[in-house]
Amino acid sequence: FVDLVRETQPDLVILAGDIYDRAVPPPEAVRLYDDVLARVVRGLEVPVIAIAGNHDSAERIDWGHQLLDASGYYVRGLVRPDTAPIVLCDEHGPVYFCPLPYAEPSIVKDAIYGGKPPHALNHGFAMAALVDQAVAQLPEGARAVAIAHGAVTGAYECESERPLWVAQAGYAQPALFSRFCYTALGHFHKPQRVNVLGDDAGLWLEYPGSLLKYGFSEHDQTKSVN
């Protein structure tokens, strides 16, 4: 992966979770991640935006994020009512990156609604609340990218990923992300696209998938990086 970044020189690397495969990762996994970040952010001078997934500990992932922003590593693990977009610039001006880390509905209920949501929350409604919060902070007409972790209707699941709920009761609707120019998603391991509006408008949600194969259902998948 580091070699790929060196060869292509992207403006930014996005990690849409999971960062680790468990809440308390083994020390060698933490050291490896630290080494990769140092080689990409400091060595190649390519910034990284990362969010926590459902396998991660949000508190551990979020540690030090205010200090780390200055280094070019933008990490967000916890859901907060005042989370601002991360603004990076290219030759055309600013781009607003909205990090939406994974959070259980009970967490969103307290963080966004102060414990008093207008209706019962499942994972889909919780994602909608996070999207609404992010969109409210975007200037009119601004180019914006959503970075989220969860399941959307129309995406292909895999047996190796931990189910978040029964059946599809908590799936988020793709149209939630229609305000964004692009949405980078983590959770499902198969590389795939989902059309946001179900038409030819060209707005996509995109799962890059996992770099390795974690189950027999993934044996025929071609793993990749977007």
Side-chain angles (χ1 to χ4, degrees):
F1 181 76
V2 174
D3 289 342
L4 181 62
V5 175
R6 181 182 298 108
E7 293 166 6
T8 58
Q9 282 294 307
D11 295 314
L12 170 72
V13 168
I14 293 175
L15 303 177
D18 297 291
I19 293 176
Y20 300 111
D21 68 343
R22 66 198 76 174
V24 184
E28 54 267 33
V30 178
R31 287 195 297 268
L32 175 61
Y33 186 57
D34 176 65
D35 178 62
V36 169
L37 285 177
R39 293 163 67 188
V40 171
V41 177
R42 190 174 62 189
L44 300 177
E45 298 183 344
V46 175
V48 172
I49 297 178
I51 63 169
N54 61 298
H55 287 275
D56 296 310
S57 165
E59 290 81 2
R60 290 184 174 90
I61 296 300
D62 200 75
W63 183 90
H65 74 273
Q66 296 179 78
L67 296 173
L68 291 169
D69 281 3
S71 72
Y73 175 51
Y74 305 88
V75 60
R76 301 293 185 267
L78 292 172
V79 171
R80 295 181 174 87
D82 57 350
T83 298
I86 298 162
V87 184
L88 302 177
C89 294
D90 62 12
E91 64 271 23
H92 304 292
V95 181
Y96 291 74
F97 294 87
C98 298
L100 310 174
Y102 173 80
E104 293 287 340
S106 59
I107 300 296
V108 176
K109 174 183 175 181
D110 292 336
I112 304 300
Y113 296 109
K116 298 179 180 180
H119 50 70
L121 294 181
N122 59 20
H123 283 80
F125 287 133
M127 180 70 80
L130 296 180
V131 170
D132 288 345
Q133 178 199 37
V135 169
Q137 300 185 67
L138 295 174
E140 185 176 354
R143 294 180 297 159
V145 174
I147 305 169
H149 190 94
V152 297
T153 300
Y156 174 83
E157 298 185 48
C158 55
E159 64 181 15
S160 58
E161 184 48 69
R162 182 185 306 158
L164 301 179
W165 49 77
V166 177
Q168 293 195 1
Y171 275 47
Q173 297 301 311
L176 280 177
F177 299 92
S178 60
R179 168 60 183 84
F180 300 96
C181 305
Y182 179 76
T183 298
L185 286 167
H187 187 54
F188 292 145
H189 294 173
K190 179 182 179 180
Q192 56 190 299
R193 279 181 164 188
V194 177
N195 196 306
V196 172
L197 299 176
D199 55 20
D200 296 323
L203 288 176
W204 296 99
L205 312 174
E206 200 153 21
Y207 288 94
S210 57
L211 289 176
L212 301 177
K213 299 179 180 183
Y214 290 106
F216 291 113
S217 66
E218 301 176 42
H219 77 280
D220 60 348
Q221 294 178 9
T222 301
K223 298 300 187 178
S224 60
V225 176
N226 292 337

